[in-house]
Amino acid sequence: VNHVTCALCDTVCTSVSSLKAHIRCRHCDERPFHCHLCDSGFKNAYDLHKHVETHNDSDAYSCDVEGCGFTSRTLRTLTQHYKRV
């Protein structure tokens, strides 16, 4: 197994491609993925996708606990709500 160490923080990656992804995400300020609805920029497509969900006008997710009434635009926020309560 090949291991590649980051020269900037000593993180060990299992491949050169994962090292490149690590450097891009952790050490670069570049944000090449831009939201078409606002001025926000993101380091990867996944983060952009999750951000675009926040522009949804309707609350797509709601707590199913009787009497709670919590709603959210993203599944992640609903999951965090469940963990808190």
Side-chain angles (χ1 to χ4, degrees), residues 32-72:
F33 297 87
H34 297 281
C35 178
H36 66 284
L37 299 169
C38 71
D39 292 333
S40 297
F42 299 90
K43 292 183 178 186
N44 60 56
Y46 178 78
D47 289 346
L48 171 61
H49 172 74
K50 298 312 282 179
H51 165 78
V52 171
E53 287 182 354
T54 67
H55 288 295
N56 185 352
D57 287 337
S58 65
D59 290 325
Y61 302 95
S62 58
C63 181
D64 58 3
V65 174
E66 187 175 336
C68 178
F70 178 85
T71 61
S72 95

Side-chain angles (χ1 to χ4, degrees):
V1 177
N2 293 330
H3 294 285
V4 186
T5 304
C6 177
L8 301 171
C9 70
D10 295 329
T11 294
V12 177
C13 298
T14 57
S15 67
V16 174
S17 62
S18 65
L19 175 63
K20 287 179 182 180
H22 161 78
I23 291 171
R24 186 178 65 248
C25 289
R26 297 289 179 232
H27 301 298
C28 293
D29 290 331
E30 248 181 84
R31 295 177 181 268
F33 297 87
H34 297 281
C35 178
H36 66 284
L37 299 169
C38 71
D39 292 333
S40 297
F42 299 90
K43 292 183 178 186
N44 60 56
Y46 178 78
D47 289 346
L48 171 61
H49 172 74
K50 298 312 282 179
H51 165 78
V52 171
E53 287 182 354
T54 67
H55 288 295
N56 185 352
D57 287 337
S58 65
D59 290 325
Y61 302 95
S62 58
C63 181
D64 58 3
V65 174
E66 187 175 336
C68 178
F70 178 85
T71 61
S72 95
R73 294 180 184 172
T74 66
L75 180 59
R76 180 178 182 188
T77 304
L78 179 62
T79 302
Q80 290 172 339
H81 165 75
Y82 281 134
K83 288 179 181 177
R84 279 194 312 270
V85 291

